[in-house]
Amino acid sequence: DAGVIQSPRHEVTEMGQEVTLRCKPISGHDYLFWYRQTMMRGLELLIYFNNNVPIDDSGMPEDRFSAKMPNASFSTLKIQPSEPRDSAVYFCASKATAPGTIIYFGEGSWLTVV
Amino acid sequence: KNEVEQSPQNLTAQEGEFITINCSYSVGISALHWLQQHPGGGIVSLFMLSSGKKKHGRLIATINIQEKHSSLHITASHPRDSAVYICAVGRGSQGNLIFGKGTKLSVKP
């Protein structure tokens, strides 16, 4: 398997623009997580899905952020409108349900909002 | 106070040294994860454990549930071990992770 695939790897956008980050989890994994990493706050969970259903979105900073998982092989994280404080690395990760299984991270999407 | 505390924040070692990174947590957990993040940003899961000890190559992870403490040990350290090591605790059956701030390890040749 190719692992968790994220796109784009890097994005630079202007404040106010819409940003869409994409993720393809590992086939067969039931859980998908979106995390954000900043220097100030480290890694934080934004939202996670189980079997394509959002389970916990309490980490989503505000209404400008939204996430969808229309099917088992694809998820998006959208920021509209983007602000400079959204600049961060956004990681997607997936995990199987079986006990004791580890979580697999994508390479991350490096977002800069200017 | 953070729910997950790691020590030290930074660690410099000479090649070949035995390294220990500590993680303490203050919440009930279902499992504890050790992650490795290399320069360039990719994150790799090293261990997930809920009791006892696990070993993989030169890496050993232990957890003491009663004391709410875990350690990651690296034997015969090598410059390629240089990375940030992150402790994270999971809550609930599969739930989300709460992350420590990470320990930046630099191993000098």
Side-chain angles (χ1 to χ4, degrees):
Chain A
D1 203 309
V4 178
I5 300 172
Q6 291 187 243
S7 65
R9 286 296 315 278
H10 296 88
E11 175 140 351
V12 180
T13 191
E14 290 186 345
M15 184 173 66
Q17 296 297 306
E18 178 179 291
V19 174
T20 299
L21 308 178
R22 297 173 178 81
C23 176
K24 182 181 189 307
I26 293 173
S27 177
H29 281 192
D30 306 295
Y31 285 84
L32 183 140
F33 305 85
W34 281 102
Y35 296 100
R36 179 172 68 175
Q37 186 178 38
T38 61
M39 288 292 291
M40 290 296 294
R41 300 172 67 90
L43 274 161
E44 301 173 291
L45 176 75
L46 297 177
I47 184 171
Y48 80 94
F49 296 83
N50 177 217
N51 291 323
N52 313 338
V53 176
I55 303 301
D56 183 353
D57 66 354
S58 59
M60 296 285 264
E62 48 198 273
D63 291 345
R64 297 184 299 106
F65 286 68
S66 62
K68 294 182 181 179
M69 191 166 186
N71 57 62
S73 58
F74 184 67
S75 177
T76 59
L77 177 68
K78 189 173 290 187
I79 308 172
Q80 166 63 18
S82 58
E83 297 182 2
R85 60 193 166 124
D86 302 329
S87 298
V89 185
Y90 291 82
F91 287 98
C92 178
S94 70
K95 184 182 181 300
T97 301
T101 56
I102 62 174
I103 187 166
Y104 292 84
F105 287 79
E107 291 292 304
S109 292
W110 297 63
L111 174 65
T112 303
V113 184
V114 298
Chain B
K1 185 179 188 298
N2 293 330
E3 293 170 300
V4 181
E5 298 274 2
Q6 286 186 237
S7 64
Q9 278 188 294
N10 293 282
L11 181 56
T12 300
Q14 285 299 128
E15 184 173 357
E17 285 185 359
F18 180 83
I19 288 162
T20 296
I21 299 170
N22 295 299
C23 176
S24 296
Y25 53 93
S26 58
V27 296
I29 69 169
S30 56
L32 184 141
H33 302 250
W34 281 102
L35 311 172
Q36 180 191 56
Q37 186 170 29
H38 276 284
I43 298 175
V44 175
S45 290
L46 298 174
F47 295 104
M48 174 181 161
L49 64 165
S50 53
S51 65
K53 174 179 170 179
K54 287 189 177 180
K55 185 175 189 291
H56 186 256
R58 294 180 295 107
L59 302 178
I60 303 166
T62 65
I63 187 168
N64 185 317
I65 297 296
Q66 286 72 31
E67 294 186 4
K68 295 188 174 178
H69 181 268
S70 175
S71 294
L72 176 68
H73 306 284
I74 305 175
T75 61
S77 60
H78 190 276
R80 64 174 175 267
D81 298 326
S82 299
V84 175
Y85 292 84
I86 302 169
C87 171
V89 299
R91 309 194 68 188
S93 57
Q94 294 288 348
N96 64 65
L97 296 180
I98 304 171
F99 297 89
K101 296 294 185 190
T103 294
K104 186 174 181 180
L105 171 66
S106 178
V107 182
K108 306 293 186 187

